[in-house]
Amino acid sequence: MTVNKDLAFDDNNPYIKGTKSVNGNCIVPIPPFLNEFISEYIKTLPGTNLFYSANNKYMTASAYNKMWSNIVSKMNVAAGGSNRIRIITGLTAHIFRHNYCANLCYQMPNISIKRIAQLLGDSEKMVLEVYNHVLEQKENVQEVVKNSINF
């Protein structure tokens, strides 16, 4: 899936804007188990954006907030909560992005920082600055030093 624009809001009014930088134009790989579902969903859309309101217009900020609230509510119930018992709180799409990047960082060295940055539509510098603590957790300095001099 190609990502090359953002839905933004001026108060409640939606508009399409370009990505923040050239890095924001990226191709996001879709895992095979999601590909069929997403492909079928895309066929139902009136245009090239992923999220529309019920009247096939760009989603307003209030419609987005309602959609997100419904997603979190369903996740809360799936996690064992209910409408009165909140297990999941404070979850935002931005937190999902952080979790995605952190999980990618935990996959190193099977994936490079350069590739992680490409998947996020960000720079390698940003990934290093924000997620370096994840990379440091994976380090085994003693083993690396030992292996580098015991060739």
Side-chain angles (χ1 to χ4, degrees), residues 50-119:
L50 284 179
F51 303 105
Y52 291 91
S53 65
N55 62 1
N56 291 335
K57 303 281 185 196
Y58 293 138
M59 186 176 282
T60 63
S62 58
Y64 172 82
N65 291 333
K66 183 177 179 181
M67 176 194 73
W68 188 254
S69 178
N70 287 333
I71 291 169
V72 172
S73 292
K74 288 178 182 178
M75 291 173 65
N76 187 65
V77 170
S82 68
N83 288 338
R84 292 179 23 206
I85 300 171
R86 295 285 174 194
I87 293 173
I88 299 173
T89 60
L91 186 61
T92 66
H94 193 71
I95 290 171
F96 265 113
R97 178 182 165 80
H98 279 291
N99 287 344
Y100 174 62
C101 186
N103 286 335
L104 288 173
C105 289
Y106 280 120
Q107 298 302 312
M108 291 181 69
N110 295 325
I111 189 169
S112 68
I113 291 174
K114 181 177 184 174
R115 185 68 174 131
I116 291 170
Q118 289 171 343
L119 291 172

Side-chain angles (χ1 to χ4, degrees), residues 9-10 12 19-20 51 57-59 61 65 68 81 118 123 130 137 143 151:
F9 305 103
D10 180 14
N12 193 40
T19 58
K20 291 181 190 174
F51 303 105
K57 303 281 185 196
Y58 293 138
M59 186 176 282
N65 291 333
W68 188 254
Q118 289 171 343
S123 68
V130 176
Q137 289 174 1
E143 189 68 21
F151 38 110

